[in-house]
Amino acid sequence: MAGTILLETKNLSKRFGGLKALDRFDFLVRHGEIVGLIGPNGSGKTTFFHVVTGILKAASGTVMFGERREVLTALPPHRITALGIARTFQRQRLFNQMTVLQNVLVGAHCRTCSGLFGSILRTPATRREQKVVQEKATRLLALFGERLLPRAQDPAWTLSYANRRRLEIARALAADPLLLLLDEPAAGMNPTETRELMRDILSIREQGITIVLIEHDMTVVRGICDQVVALDHGIKIAEGSFEEVRNHPSVIEAYLGRRAKHA
Ligand code: ADP
Ligand code: MG
């Protein structure tokens, strides 16, 4: 499996009115990789995740996924989740009043079989399934050491900022993804939390999950990404190792240009 193509996009474009948020974007991730997606604010990174997960429809181009190179471009989001792509959001979307454990259970919903009647009648099959799913959710919380598991029964709103971000990752993992898309997971974290996050992401990869990581913190990108792709105005301006991309004239120009404009 390692080394084979898991996700590939060709000529992917997305427009918002006159604005090209993605412009003929070719992107490729192989099994077992951690690929970093960087670029200044507004360069189209989050839009890329929206298009891959079916939240937004591409204007043109294709997204292919898995060994059978299934075309995702025409599929609704729940089908894409079922095929094995899960994500976190740049802005958190937790259910605040639900417990930490319940938030993870929501993520597992797409993998459970019992429908509404099973849940209401609490048939033996449903109870068995619920037990299995609860065990899985507990296992996922345990991935984050002592951060989440002792708080499993607390409402999500009581969590610290960093723990909320960890919970979002746990919830995404509950969908049993082959590919995990993380949108700025280190944003707002202090250096210690960031280091811990890097270890967490590496251990998720150890479990055979491939990762695309949008991240502004270059320590994280340098530390854990095998490949890096840079976007600017929806256009791929560089790809390769961290060093290659970071030192690429177009990348330097893209970041400096924005800074100069905002100064
Ligand atoms: P990034 O994640 O790289 O910061 P985004 O993908 O969020 O960038 O945005 C890319 C561009 O598309 C930006 O110029 C942004 O303002 C624009 N954009 C994003 N979402 C929408 C939307 N729903 N409607 C209109 N414009 C949008
Ligand atoms: Mg974004």
Side-chain angles (χ1 to χ4, degrees), residues 16 19 21 40-47 90:
F16 295 112
L19 181 106
N41 283 330
S43 56
K45 305 180 300 294
T46 296
T47 300
Q90 189 171 353

Side-chain angles (χ1 to χ4, degrees), residues 172-242:
L173 290 173
D176 291 335
L178 298 167
L179 177 67
L180 176 65
L181 309 176
L182 299 173
D183 199 345
E184 299 194 28
M189 288 192 173
N190 67 36
T192 311
E193 292 162 347
T194 301
R195 271 195 301 279
E196 196 177 313
L197 175 78
M198 288 165 68
R199 282 200 303 273
D200 292 338
I201 294 174
L202 287 172
S203 78
I204 291 167
R205 189 254 295 270
E206 285 297 303
Q207 304 185 20
I209 297 170
T210 305
I211 293 161
V212 180
L213 173 73
I214 294 176
E215 188 49 64
H216 281 300
D217 186 331
M218 290 303 145
T219 319
V220 178
V221 180
R222 176 193 281 124
I224 64 175
C225 292
D226 307 301
Q227 290 288 321
V228 179
V229 173
L231 274 176
D232 190 29
H233 299 294
I235 297 171
K236 182 166 70 181
I237 53 171
E239 64 186 321
S241 68
F242 174 82

Side-chain angles (χ1 to χ4, degrees), residues 17-60:
L19 181 106
K20 288 181 176 171
L22 278 180
D23 194 358
R24 289 161 290 163
F25 186 37
D26 293 338
F27 183 84
L28 195 149
V29 192
R30 295 176 187 281
H31 268 285
E33 278 183 337
I34 300 178
V35 177
L37 185 57
I38 67 167
N41 283 330
S43 56
K45 305 180 300 294
T46 296
T47 300
F48 176 64
F49 279 8
H50 287 337
V51 172
V52 168
T53 54
I55 291 177
L56 291 175
K57 291 280 160 252
S60 57

Side-chain angles (χ1 to χ4, degrees), residues 9 18 36-37 42 52-53 62 80 96 105 108 148 152 158 169 180 221 228 232 244 255:
T9 73
L37 185 57
V52 168
T53 54
T62 44
I80 295 172
N96 279 319
L105 291 173
L148 295 179
T158 62
I169 298 175
L180 176 65
V221 180
V228 179
D232 190 29
E244 284 164 350
Y255 279 93

